[in-house]
Amino acid sequence: MTLLPLPAFDDNYIWMLHDGHQALVVDPGDEQPVLQALQAQGLQLKAILVTHHHADHVGGVDELRAATGAAVYGPAGETMPEPLQRLGDGDTLDLLGLHFTVLDVPGHTAGHIAYFSDNGGQPLLFCGDTLFSGGCGRLFEGTPAQMLASLDRLAALPDSTRVCCAHEYTLSNLRFARAVEPDNTALQDYSRQCEALRARQLPTLPSTIAVERDINPFLRSRQTAVTRAVLARAAASDEIGIFAALREWKNQFK
Ligand SMILES: [Zn+2]
Ligand SMILES: [Zn+2]
């Protein structure tokens, strides 16, 4: 099975998974990169998985459905390009011989879902705009409490899970992460690796859950160093308040 991030727009990735014959894609905001990849590699598109309703994730769905006849899957609770099969927490689907489980991960949007497969011991996560490498999505529709709970669920996935995020935001996220945790040596090492990849125009993704637990401040808001850094700037009385203040700090960070 081959996993490819197809670049789209300024910083989106449309994830493609294929076995040399059949493919699925996740969050095709634009049909063109997908059609090009299908043609270049002689692949048949079987399925389109969507994580949430934003245009940069759904903009190519209608064209791809019409061009390929692929089945479309998306969240139960969001406005979606119809027709599609709607999915919610705990729903499962079998595609390209892989078994996927759906996780509700509200916060960025109210009905955001993620797709997880253990993929025969090489687990995979398609998490849209919920978890980014070194960061998390903005809270457009959900609350800090919802996002913290969603990130806790993702952080509990196996260490080796490949984290397929929908945007290349890693370097700017890591600049913020280093401001929060200047003494985190794993974060410093990871930052150097990612800077070297971007200098060669290579994706920093997929990341892994193990890496994210070590370097991502939004998965580390209960760690003493992160809590202290937040409380030095803002008042907060509980873990949700600390998470909310951390997200707000990132929103202001230049
Ligand atoms: Zn989004
Ligand atoms: Zn997005």
Side-chain angles (χ1 to χ4, degrees):
M1 203 63 81
T2 303
L3 178 67
L4 293 171
L6 307 178
F9 309 118
D10 288 341
D11 52 35
N12 284 69
Y13 290 126
I14 301 166
W15 288 93
M16 173 178 272
L17 193 62
H18 73 81
D19 61 9
H21 303 283
Q22 299 186 327
L24 64 80
V25 291
V26 184
D27 287 352
D30 183 2
E31 67 278 9
Q32 284 309 325
V34 177
L35 291 171
Q36 282 164 17
L38 293 172
Q39 190 171 29
Q41 305 185 56
L43 302 169
Q44 183 191 10
L45 188 65
K46 296 297 287 183
I48 299 167
L49 311 184
V50 178
T51 63
H52 68 295
H53 68 84
H54 287 157
D56 62 312
H57 298 251
V58 303
V61 168
D62 285 334
E63 290 281 353
L64 287 174
R65 188 199 300 101
T68 66
V72 182
Y73 303 87
E78 300 205 342
T79 304
M80 282 284 126
E82 303 277 355
L84 81 163
Q85 185 173 328
R86 292 181 173 276
L87 302 168
D89 201 56
D91 283 345
T92 61
L93 59 167
D94 291 291
L95 296 167
L96 308 182
L98 301 185
H99 188 69
F100 286 89
T101 304
V102 173
L103 300 164
D104 277 349
V105 286
H108 176 67
T109 62
H112 200 301
I113 60 173
Y115 299 85
F116 174 77
S117 173
D118 79 355
N119 186 24
Q122 296 183 289
L124 269 174
L125 173 69
F126 297 113
C127 55
D129 288 356
T130 298
L131 174 61
F132 296 123
S133 187
C136 73
R138 284 177 184 264
L139 301 179
F140 287 123
E141 298 172 11
T143 64
Q146 285 178 318
M147 184 57 116
L148 180 59
S150 294
L151 294 176
D152 283 344
R153 292 192 75 186
L154 300 183
L157 294 172
D159 279 358
S160 63
T161 303
R162 282 175 290 171
V163 178
C164 303
C165 321
H167 291 271
E168 180 62 68
Y169 289 158
T170 310
L171 294 190
S172 69
N173 286 337
L174 294 178
R175 271 196 300 281
F176 174 70
R178 292 195 301 273
V180 176
E181 282 194 282
D183 300 327
N184 181 335
T185 54
L187 172 59
Q188 292 159 11
D189 292 346
Y190 182 66
S191 296
R192 279 190 289 272
Q193 287 170 33
C194 291
E195 282 159 12
L197 289 168
R198 294 308 293 153
R200 294 189 288 148
Q201 273 111 46
L202 294 173
T204 59
L205 303 169
S207 179
T208 67
I209 288 292
V211 166
E212 295 307 312
R213 274 203 296 259
D214 283 347
I215 62 93
N216 188 326
F218 294 95
L219 300 188
R220 297 171 57 76
S221 61
R222 299 178 187 91
Q223 298 279 327
T224 308
V226 177
T227 301
R228 276 208 192 115
V230 170
L231 290 177
R233 304 173 50 90
S237 56
D238 60 13
E239 63 183 29
I240 294 165
I242 287 165
F243 181 83
L246 179 66
R247 183 59 253 185
E248 189 54 34
W249 181 5
K250 173 69 164 66
N251 294 347
Q252 311 299 333
F253 188 76
K254 296 273 191 292

